C-alpha cells in the first residue's frame, strides 16, 4: 500500500535561515506528489506539485521541492524563511489509478524564531 | 464567494444530537471529498463523490452520513457521535479528468462532541 512519511514532527528555524522539510513515500511507480501548508484555523493550501518532467519544481511563497526517485523522496525547501511561514506542512501522494485519492503524511509543524 | 466554503466553522454537540456540516465549492469542480483531521494524525479520507456519485467510503462508521445533492454541495450528517469523533472536518474539491488533479480545501469545521 502507498504511504507517506514525514520524519520530523516539529522543526524550529530562525528567521532568514534556510529550510528543508523531509518527505518519503512508498510506491512502486512514479507517484503524483504534493506539498500543502496549513495555517492555524485554516484549511490546506497547495504549495506545489510534481507530476512529471523536471524533478525540481517551484511553488508559491518561494518554496521549491525536488523529486528524487532513487531515494523515494520529495523534500521541500526554502532558502530564507519568514516568520509568516510558521505553519504545518503536509506531504501527499496520489497514484493515478485511484482517482483523486491522496495519501497524506503526518505533517511537520514549523516554528520560526525571530 | 470563492473557493471552498464550509459552515459552521465551529460546532459543539452532545452525543445524542443530530447536526449537519455543509460544504460548497465555487470552482466548477466535479469531485468533492470529506476528510477528518485529528490531532497528531494524518488526514483521513472519509468519502469521495465524483459527479455526485459516491465512489469511496473509507470504512467510516454509519453515524456519519454524506449527501451530495449536486456537484457544488456536499453535506455530512452527524448523529449519535462519540467523543473520539471530535476533530477538524475538512471538505475539498477537484476537477477529475483522466489523471490526478490537486484538491482545493475549505477552512474546515471544528467539531467538539461532549
Amino acid at each position: 500500500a502507498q504511504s507517506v512519511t514525514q520524519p520530523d514532527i516539529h522543526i524550529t528555524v530562525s528567521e532568514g535561515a534556510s529550510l528543508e522539510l523531509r518527505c518519503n513515500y512508498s510506491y512502486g511507480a512514479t507517484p503524483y506528489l504534493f506539498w500543502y501548508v496549513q495555517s492555524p484555523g485554516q484549511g490546506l493550501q497547495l504549495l506545489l506539485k510534481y507530476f512529471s518532467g523536471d524533478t525540481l519544481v517551484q511553488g508559491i511563497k518561494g518554496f521549491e521541492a525536488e523529486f528524487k526517485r532513487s531515494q523515494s523522496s520529495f523534500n521541500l525547501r526554502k532558502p530564507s524563511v519568514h516568520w509568516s511561514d510558521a505553519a504545518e506542512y503536509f506531504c501527499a501522494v496520489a497514484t493515478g489509478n485511484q482517482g483523486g485519492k491522496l495519501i497524506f503524511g503526518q505533517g511537520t509543524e514549523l516554528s520560526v524564531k525571530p | 464567494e470563492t473557493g471552498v466554503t464550509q459552515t459552521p466553522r465551529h460546532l459543539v454537540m452532545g452525543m445524542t444530537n443530530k447536526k449537519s456540516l455543509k460544504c460548497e465549492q465555487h470552482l466548477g469542480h466535479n469531485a468533492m471529498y470529506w476528510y477528518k483531521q485529528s490531532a497528531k494524525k494524518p488526514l483521513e479520507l472519509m468519502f469521495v463523490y465524483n459527479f455526485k456519485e459516491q465512489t469511496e467510503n473509507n470504512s467510516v462508521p454509519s453515524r456519519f452520513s454524506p449527501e451530495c445533492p449536486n456537484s457544488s454541495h456536499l453535506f455530512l450528517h452527524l448523529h449519535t457521535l462519540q467523543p473520539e469523533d471530535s476533530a477538524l472536518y475538512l471538505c475539498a474539491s477537484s476537477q477529475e479528468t483522466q489523471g490526478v488533479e490537486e484538491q482545493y480545501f475549505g477552512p474546515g469545521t471544528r467539531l467538539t462532541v461532549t
Side-chain angles (χ1 to χ4, degrees), chain A residues 21-73:
Chain A
L21 302 182
R22 295 183 290 166
C23 172
N24 293 97
Y25 66 89
S26 173
Y27 180 59
T30 300
Y32 299 82
L33 296 160
F34 304 82
W35 274 101
Y36 283 87
V37 60
Q38 185 179 32
S39 298
Q42 301 296 318
L44 278 67
Q45 180 184 22
L46 181 70
L47 285 175
L48 47 78
K49 63 185 179 184
Y50 172 79
F51 284 6
S52 65
D54 192 348
T55 56
L56 183 64
V57 293
Q58 303 296 320
I60 62 172
K61 305 185 180 187
F63 285 92
E64 66 178 27
E66 186 171 13
F67 170 58
K68 292 187 177 180
R69 183 190 305 275
S70 61
Q71 299 177 19
S72 298
S73 69

Side-chain angles (χ1 to χ4, degrees), chain B residues 1-7 21-28 32 34 70-75 91-93 104-107:
Chain B
E1 289 276 21
T2 58
V4 182
T5 58
Q6 291 186 243
T7 55
L21 310 185
K22 179 183 176 181
C23 175
E24 184 173 0
Q25 60 96 0
H26 309 270
L27 301 168
M32 297 186 77
W34 279 117
N70 55 60
S71 58
S72 298
H73 294 86
L74 185 65
F75 294 89
C91 174
S93 71
Y104 294 77
F105 285 80

Side-chain angles (χ1 to χ4, degrees), chain A residues 67-95:
Chain A
F67 170 58
K68 292 187 177 180
R69 183 190 305 275
S70 61
Q71 299 177 19
S72 298
S73 69
F74 188 56
N75 294 349
L76 182 72
R77 301 193 294 248
K78 186 169 184 178
S80 177
V81 170
H82 187 262
W83 63 267
S84 61
D85 293 324
E88 188 141 24
Y89 292 79
F90 294 92
C91 181
V93 62
T95 61

Side-chain angles (χ1 to χ4, degrees), chain A residues 36 38 41 43-44 46 49 51 90 94 96 99-102 104-106, chain B residues 9 33 35 37 40 42-43 45 56 88 90 96 100 102-103 105-107:
Chain A
Y36 283 87
Q38 185 179 32
L44 278 67
L46 181 70
K49 63 185 179 184
F51 284 6
F90 294 92
K101 184 174 179 179
L102 295 180
F104 284 86
Q106 192 170 357
Chain B
R9 294 294 307 275
Y33 312 79
Y35 288 88
Q37 186 178 28
K40 308 305 179 187
L43 271 76
L45 178 65
E56 181 105 15
L88 181 68
L90 293 165
E96 292 306 309
V100 175
E102 64 262 32
Q103 295 178 17
F105 285 80

Side-chain angles (χ1 to χ4, degrees), chain B residues 55-111:
Chain B
T55 58
E56 181 105 15
N57 177 337
N58 218 18
S59 302
V60 180
S62 60
R63 57 185 184 270
F64 295 91
S65 174
E67 178 190 1
C68 189
N70 55 60
S71 58
S72 298
H73 294 86
L74 185 65
F75 294 89
L76 188 62
H77 304 299
L78 317 171
H79 64 98
T80 59
L81 294 191
Q82 304 299 311
E84 60 264 29
D85 297 323
S86 298
L88 181 68
Y89 288 85
L90 293 165
C91 174
S93 71
S94 68
Q95 182 61 28
E96 292 306 309
T97 56
Q98 295 289 337
V100 175
E101 300 296 333
E102 64 262 32
Q103 295 178 17
Y104 294 77
F105 285 80
T109 294
R110 173 69 62 187
L111 174 67

